[in-house]
Amino acid sequence: KAKFYFFKKGSLNKMAGLTLQKRLAASVLKAGKNRVWLDPNEANEIGMANSRQNIRKLIKDGLVIRLPVVVHSRSRVKRHLEAKKKGRHTGHGKRHGTKDARMPQKVLWMRRQRVLRRLLRKYRQAKKIDSHLYHDLYMRSKGNQFKNKRVLMEAIHKLKAEKAREKTLNEQAEARKNKAKMKSERKASRKAQVVTETTVEGAPAPDATS
C-alpha cells in the first residue's frame, strides 16, 4: 500500500539532503534508519556532518536521537487466544485443513502410547506387576486394546484379581490333594497293620520240645 507523509512547509526541503547523515546515525546508534530522528530546526548543522565522529557529536548535543521501539501490543492477541481456549472462534468457518491435518491421528496415537507405556513402566518398577504381565499388557496396548489410562488400570486390577483367585484355587486344590494323599496313606498303613496282626495271630505256636 502507498504511504503518504505530510510535512510542514519547508521542512521537506530542509531534510531532503540528509540521507547520508541518517545512514551514518543509524550505524552509530545501531538501529534502523526509521528509528533515527534528526532535528529539523538544525538541518544545516546536521548537513555539515559527513563522518561518524561528527554524528557522535550531534548525538551528544541531542540533535540526533534514537527513537524508542514502537510498541506492538499483544493484548488483543492474548484476549483472542483466551477466548479460543474456551472454544470460541473455532467453528467450521474458522477451520483450514482437514481434521487429520489439524490434529493428526499419528500424534494422538503416539501420545496415548507414551501415557500407557509410562504407566506400565511405573507399575513394573513399583513391583505392582511382574515382567510377564508387563509384556502382556504392553503388547495389548500396542494392539489398541486400551483407549486411555483408566481402562488400562482397570484391566491391570482385573488381571491381578484373576491371578490371585487362580493362585488361591490352586493352593486349595493342592491342599485337598495332599489331604487325600495323607488319608490314603493312613488307610493303607492301617490295612497293612491289620494284615500283620492277623498273620501273627493265625501262626502256630512254637513246639516246647524242640
Side-chain angles (χ1 to χ4, degrees), residues 42-96:
E42 304 293 339
N44 294 330
E45 191 178 339
I46 293 168
M48 298 293 288
N50 59 359
S51 68
R52 283 179 169 77
Q53 192 175 348
N54 293 340
I55 293 292
R56 284 192 191 94
K57 189 175 180 301
L58 291 172
I59 291 166
K60 196 175 178 184
D61 295 342
L63 304 182
V64 177
I65 297 171
R66 179 172 63 185
L67 295 170
V69 178
V70 177
V71 175
H72 188 172
S73 174
R74 281 192 60 81
S75 64
R76 285 183 297 278
V77 179
K78 284 179 182 174
R79 196 163 63 238
H80 186 74
L81 291 173
E82 284 295 322
K84 279 188 87 173
K85 277 182 186 176
K86 292 176 183 174
R88 318 287 188 267
H89 321 294
T90 52
H92 290 293
K94 290 287 181 183
R95 297 178 199 171
H96 290 280

Side-chain angles (χ1 to χ4, degrees), residues 9-169:
K9 193 177 179 183
S11 65
L12 187 63
N13 297 331
K14 283 181 186 177
M15 304 298 291
L18 302 180
T19 359
L20 169 70
Q21 285 75 12
K22 198 150 201 172
R23 181 175 64 77
L24 292 174
S27 174
V28 170
L29 292 167
K30 294 181 181 175
K33 282 186 267 189
N34 289 337
R35 281 185 63 198
V36 174
W37 179 84
L38 306 174
D39 193 343
N41 301 322
E42 304 293 339
N44 294 330
E45 191 178 339
I46 293 168
M48 298 293 288
N50 59 359
S51 68
R52 283 179 169 77
Q53 192 175 348
N54 293 340
I55 293 292
R56 284 192 191 94
K57 189 175 180 301
L58 291 172
I59 291 166
K60 196 175 178 184
D61 295 342
L63 304 182
V64 177
I65 297 171
R66 179 172 63 185
L67 295 170
V69 178
V70 177
V71 175
H72 188 172
S73 174
R74 281 192 60 81
S75 64
R76 285 183 297 278
V77 179
K78 284 179 182 174
R79 196 163 63 238
H80 186 74
L81 291 173
E82 284 295 322
K84 279 188 87 173
K85 277 182 186 176
K86 292 176 183 174
R88 318 287 188 267
H89 321 294
T90 52
H92 290 293
K94 290 287 181 183
R95 297 178 199 171
H96 290 280
T98 61
K99 186 182 178 182
D100 201 59
R102 287 161 61 81
M103 177 45 70
Q105 290 293 310
K106 186 176 181 180
V107 172
L108 294 172
W109 169 261
M110 281 159 54
R111 283 180 186 172
R112 193 164 86 222
Q113 287 303 304
R114 283 171 185 169
V115 167
L116 298 176
R117 288 173 185 181
R118 199 181 302 125
L119 180 72
L120 288 173
R121 275 201 305 276
K122 186 179 164 187
Y123 272 31
R124 185 180 61 179
Q125 284 167 4
K127 307 287 184 189
K128 288 184 179 178
I129 55 174
D130 60 1
S131 57
H132 300 290
L133 189 55
Y134 168 84
H135 182 69
D136 180 38
L137 291 167
Y138 187 99
M139 296 312 286
R140 288 194 196 188
S141 302
K142 191 177 180 182
N144 200 19
Q145 204 163 335
F146 311 115
K147 68 175 183 178
N148 55 38
K149 200 159 76 169
R150 182 179 55 78
V151 176
L152 175 59
M153 286 169 76
E154 283 174 5
I156 290 170
H157 293 316
K158 192 178 176 184
L159 285 169
K160 281 179 76 178
E162 278 179 17
K163 205 172 180 183
R165 185 168 167 274
E166 198 177 320
K167 191 181 176 184
T168 311
L169 289 171

